[in-house]
Each structure stands twice: as C-alpha cells, then as structure tokens.
Amino acid sequence: VSDPLNLAHGAPPFPPALELLHGDFMAGKRVALARAISLVENQRPGFQAFLHRIHAQGFRARRVGITGPPGAGKSTLVAAMATAARGAGEEVGVVAVDPTSPYSGGALLGDRIRMNDLATDPGIFIRSMATRGSLGGLATSTKEVVDLMDAFGFPRILVETVGVGQSELEIAGAADTVVVVLVPESGDGIQAMKAGLMEIADLFVVNKADRPGAHRLVKELRGALHLRGGDVGRDVPAHHGVDLKRLGKGRSREDREARSRDREEGRFWEIPVLTTVAQSGQGVPELLEAVAGHRRYMEHSGVLERRRRERAGKRVLEVVERALLRVARGATSGPEVWERGLDRIRAGEETPYSLAATILDGILRPGFRG
Ligand SMILES: Nc1nc2c(ncn2[C@@H]2O[C@H](COP(=O)(O)OP(=O)(O)O)[C@@H](O)[C@H]2O)c(=O)[nH]1
Ligand SMILES: [Mg+2]
C-alpha cells in the first residue's frame, strides 16, 4: 500500500520514540512541546505522522498575527500583549519569525516589560523560528509550529513576523486576526499599501504614539481605508443579512444606528486604527479588546469558518508541493543523473529541458520513491 507521507504511523502504534513523545506532549510536558517543534522544524522522520495525529484532534487557539516593518515595535507589543493576557490568567504561546527578536536575549524593554520575566514565566512559551536553513517553506514550517502550540493547549498564540517578503506575509495572513503595526516615521502608510500589508490587516496599530506624527498617520490610514471600501472590513459577508447600503457612506442617524447594531452583533467589521505605546503598555488593553471584537465578528459572520477552510486547502497544497520538491531533489542528488547530465549539457549533448524531462520521467514512474 502506497503511503508517501508515512502517515500509517499517525494511527497507533507510532514508532516507540514518537509514541513516547506524543504521550508526553498530550500530558502537557514543555520539553515534549519543544522536542515536537524541533521534529517538525527539521522535518525529521515521522514529523508528518505526528502532525497528522494532532490535526485529527482539532484546534482551539485564537491565533493573532502581528506584522509590520522592522523596528515598528512588534516584539515589544507582543511582550505587552502577552503580559496583559497573563495578567488575565491566560496562557500564551509566542512564535517569532524575526531574527532580531529579543525574547531570549534578556534585553530590557522599558520599565514594565522585561523579556526575561516573560521567558521565565511558565504560562508563556516562546519559540523563535530559524529563518535560515529551513528546508524549503519557512511559511509552512512556521504554521505547523503554531499548530503544535495550539494542540498543546495554549488558548492564545501570538505570531510575530516582519511584514516584508512573501512568506512572512503569508504566515501573518494565516492567523485568525492580523494586526499590522506601523510607526509614525515618514511614508510608513504608503509603504504599508505597497507591501501588501493593507490587504491582510484586520486591525491597524500605530505604535510609538509617544512620537510626533502618530496622529497624522492615523488620519492617513483611516483615509486610505475609507477610500478603499467605505470603512468596510476585508471580508464582509454580503449573504449574512447585512444591508450593504448601510455599510457604505450612509451618514443619517438611522444608518449610524443600524451600523453600530451590526457591529455589536458581530455582523460586520470596520478595520480600526488604534494607537499604542508598546513600551509603557498604553493602548494595549484597547488593542486586546479590539482583537476580541474581531474574534466575535469572525465567529458570528462565518468568516472564521471560511478562513479555516481556505487555510486547510492551502495546507494540502503545501504538503503536496513540499513532498514533490523533496522527491525531485532526491532524484537529482545521484551523481549519475546530475553530474553526468550537467556535463552533457555543457558539451551540448543535452539541454536543461531534456535533463529535467529525464528526472521527471523517473519521478512519475510508478513505485518511485524519493
Ligand atoms: N518610543 C517608543 N519606542 C518603542 C515603542 N515600542 C517599541 N519601541 C522601541 O523600538 C525599538 C524596536 O522595537 P522592537 O519591538 O524590537 O521592534 P520590531 O522589530 O518591530 O519587533 C526598540 O528599541 C523598542 O524599545 C514605543 O511605543 N515608543
Ligand atoms: Mg521583533
């Protein structure tokens, strides 16, 4: 029986080592979570079987992506949000795809937030992803690590990525709620639109509101949002009993009241632009409230279901692509095919296309294994 991803091990019995790891993982042992993350991050044998098994359990966490340009204060904001959530008794998982994240460096960020405090808090689990040397597909690996934290039981997961580059945007975009952090440095608003941050934002945060220009950036962003869709959030479900006319530019008292009723009942989402001073925690409770509000909207509108479905579809393709890539690389690693083929290309006896065709022929032959 063909089992290209070795998933048979996803059902009991696992190989003993994985069974042990899974047992410890389910028992809530931190060290098992850390090991499972390494297993997945390094794509060691059995990693897909492990993921297969935890996926079968289903997921619960609220996943919040925090993205934006380097230096915007994302890490500081994540620390502030995590601290606030901890204050409310909630456990938090943090995944950072940012080589400059100070989480483990013990850097002091302001008076109130110390990364060291976070790092030693048993209610917080922080993992920085290695951005170099991941075997193709940083985005997929990172999302798989988030899945692990979710299955482990963290009710809230914060994912920090730098908002530049396709895979980083993709990671942030895979969260239930995407917070785009900007700062009042000149041109940031425009940059955001260029970088595709506008498209993925569920909420905007203008951080470093203690600096001049914050108010102007807020206005600029609100203006851009208004131009783009009359204040309408990115996925208003037209089929969900929302009168689209009311979402537009209706300014009558009746329109406004209807709109606020819709908002309260979670039927539509107006992308808010909030301000924070991450270092002091100013504006963070309001940010958490807005994230919770977005969650309510997502649940009531059916958008959460739709995003999850899209997410699942994307994952299927990613897993297929990754497996094919692996097979292709395996097929090219043999010197008899690869080195000799390159020699023949140099000698004008083959072209890159004929060699690729030979390799594909090997892969597509029934029974081939990479
Ligand atoms: N003035 C000011 N500085 C801040 C604020 N938030 C973060 N910073 C500083 O901005 C720098 C970059 O912060 P960091 O969180 O590492 O940004 P990231 O690259 O987006 O993760 C650090 O020196 C922070 O202390 C803020 O609200 N106001
Ligand atoms: Mg950072």
Side-chain angles (χ1 to χ4, degrees), residues 55-359:
H55 264 260
Q57 289 162 212
F59 297 118
R60 288 220 188 98
R62 281 157 295 149
R63 303 171 176 206
V64 182
I66 291 102
T67 190
K74 299 179 296 298
S75 297
T76 317
L77 198 60
V78 163
M81 290 169 82
T83 305
R86 288 299 294 136
E90 197 179 48
E91 302 207 324
V92 185
V94 175
V95 180
V97 191
D98 179 356
T100 67
S101 284
Y103 301 115
S104 53
L108 298 184
L109 297 176
D111 296 330
R112 292 182 50 190
I113 297 149
R114 287 154 196 255
M115 292 295 180
N116 266 343
D117 292 350
L118 285 188
T120 54
D121 180 341
I124 294 192
F125 189 93
I126 302 172
R127 182 70 177 215
S128 291
M129 296 293 292
T131 48
R132 255 187 294 264
S134 78
L135 304 165
L138 170 67
T140 309
S141 291
T142 305
K143 288 184 276 184
E144 287 171 336
V145 167
V146 174
D147 287 346
L148 287 174
M149 284 198 185
D150 190 330
F152 191 77
F154 286 101
R156 188 190 289 268
I157 299 170
L158 306 175
V159 185
E160 177 191 344
T161 68
V162 184
V164 274
Q166 196 48 50
S167 61
E168 278 84 356
L169 281 179
E170 193 194 314
I171 294 161
D176 301 325
T177 298
V178 180
V179 178
V180 170
V181 185
L182 299 171
V183 277
E185 259 89 66
S186 60
D188 231 343
I190 317 279
Q191 283 306 113
M193 283 167 244
K194 275 198 209 138
L197 287 172
M198 231 38 206
E199 279 65 42
I200 63 165
D202 295 307
L203 269 108
F204 279 101
V205 166
V206 173
N207 187 40
K208 307 198 186 181
D210 53 327
R211 291 207 180 150
H215 185 63
R216 203 184 54 223
L217 177 56
V218 169
K219 270 178 69 178
E220 196 182 315
L221 287 168
R222 286 196 178 134
L225 287 169
H226 187 71
L227 274 182
R228 210 186 49 161
D231 299 336
V232 179
R234 71 174 185 184
D235 19 32
V236 172
H239 62 274
H240 216 267
V242 177
D243 179 356
L244 286 175
K245 278 198 303 268
R246 295 199 316 231
L247 301 178
K249 300 191 164 87
R251 286 288 176 261
S252 72
R253 201 177 60 136
E254 206 182 30
D255 283 337
R256 280 200 308 273
E257 280 172 6
R259 223 174 7 236
S260 92
R261 215 169 29 248
D262 279 345
R263 192 182 303 121
E264 250 138 56
E265 289 165 13
R267 273 202 296 266
F268 99 100
W269 180 249
E270 208 169 337
I271 298 175
V273 182
L274 308 171
T275 55
T276 55
V277 181
Q279 276 173 321
S280 70
Q282 185 191 313
V284 171
E286 291 81 359
L287 170 58
L288 289 173
E289 184 41 52
V291 168
H294 183 253
R295 180 70 185 192
R296 286 193 292 276
Y297 157 71
M298 294 279 285
E299 282 170 357
H300 295 158
S301 63
V303 175
L304 186 60
E305 251 332 286
R306 202 183 73 210
R307 275 195 202 175
R308 283 182 172 158
R309 188 183 163 82
E310 285 168 6
R311 225 147 65 186
K314 196 147 197 319
R315 181 68 58 82
V316 174
L317 290 178
E318 285 167 0
V319 173
V320 170
E321 282 170 13
R322 180 169 59 190
L324 288 178
L325 199 64
R326 218 171 230 249
V327 171
R329 292 209 176 132
T332 55
S333 65
E336 37 334 311
V337 178
W338 189 245
E339 295 301 335
R340 229 183 293 147
L342 293 183
D343 288 345
R344 280 204 300 276
I345 291 173
R346 289 305 304 142
E349 295 157 11
E350 275 220 57
T351 71
Y353 300 88
S354 60
L355 181 56
T358 307
I359 289 168

